[in-house]
Amino acid sequence: MSVLKFYPLKVREVRPETADCVSVLLEVPAELSEQFMFAPGQYLTFRRHFDHAEVRRSYSICSSPHEGELRVAIKKVEQGKFSTFANVELKAGDLLDVMPPMGNFTIKNKEKKHKEYLAFAAGSGITPIMSIMKTVLAEEPDSGFTLIYGNLSKKSIIFREAIEELKNQYLQRLSIYHIISREY
């Protein structure tokens, strides 16, 4: 059993997803690739010091293991020190202290037989679902996936373009239902 600790990882990209959400692509050195292997639906814990106080925050991985990248989405929350930092100041080349992936919100039965998946998400809750959905569609050619995704407005849909690309790629196997509660 390995001891959980933080590792400094370089930020490769900070990409705006909506007006108040960025996705952060991390660079994992070859010597840490085993520690940072992940299952779809897991999360990463980050550590940073603000005004002499340590802040730890966890964010779900939104990439799929088959994509060969480690990416999380961070939605800015009011008075959120880490989320505001990530959305306003974080840039490519910065180092972040990151703990290896954790969490049990993953696909349990790995049999590749025909299954129908149904996921409900709202706002930034799409992040672990995105990882699971991409993985199921790529690795289970006989399975279908239905996503019911709630947001305040069309502009607040995190991963809107990526979801549409998946829908176009897996037209017969992916159904998307958007629920918009308020349109501005």
Side-chain angles (χ1 to χ4, degrees), residues 10-14 24 85-86 88-96:
K10 186 183 282 190
V11 174
R12 191 181 326 163
E13 177 188 46
V14 179
V24 178
F85 160 76
V88 175
E89 298 176 42
L90 189 63
K91 62 189 178 314
D94 288 350
L95 288 178
L96 289 173

Side-chain angles (χ1 to χ4, degrees), residues 100-115:
M102 291 185 276
N104 296 316
F105 183 66
T106 61
I107 302 166
K108 303 295 184 217
N109 184 350
K110 305 240 184 210
E111 291 181 35
K112 306 281 191 245
K113 62 183 183 178
H114 172 82
K115 292 181 252 178

Side-chain angles (χ1 to χ4, degrees), residues 47-55 81:
R47 175 180 67 185
R48 189 161 196 282
H49 290 84
F50 296 94
D51 302 322
H52 309 295
E54 182 180 285
V55 173
K81 288 184 187 246

Side-chain angles (χ1 to χ4, degrees), residues 59-63 71-73 123-132 158-159:
Y59 297 99
S60 295
I61 299 168
C62 56
S63 51
R71 184 182 292 273
V72 297
S124 60
I126 190 64
T127 309
I129 301 299
M130 194 69 177
S131 178
I132 292 168
I158 300 172
F159 307 126

Side-chain angles (χ1 to χ4, degrees), residues 116 136-146 167 170-175:
E116 292 297 325
V136 165
L137 292 168
E139 296 181 359
E140 296 183 27
D142 295 324
S143 293
F145 203 104
T146 300
K167 176 69 175 132
Y170 299 102
L171 204 51
Q172 303 301 315
R173 298 177 36 227
L174 177 59
S175 298

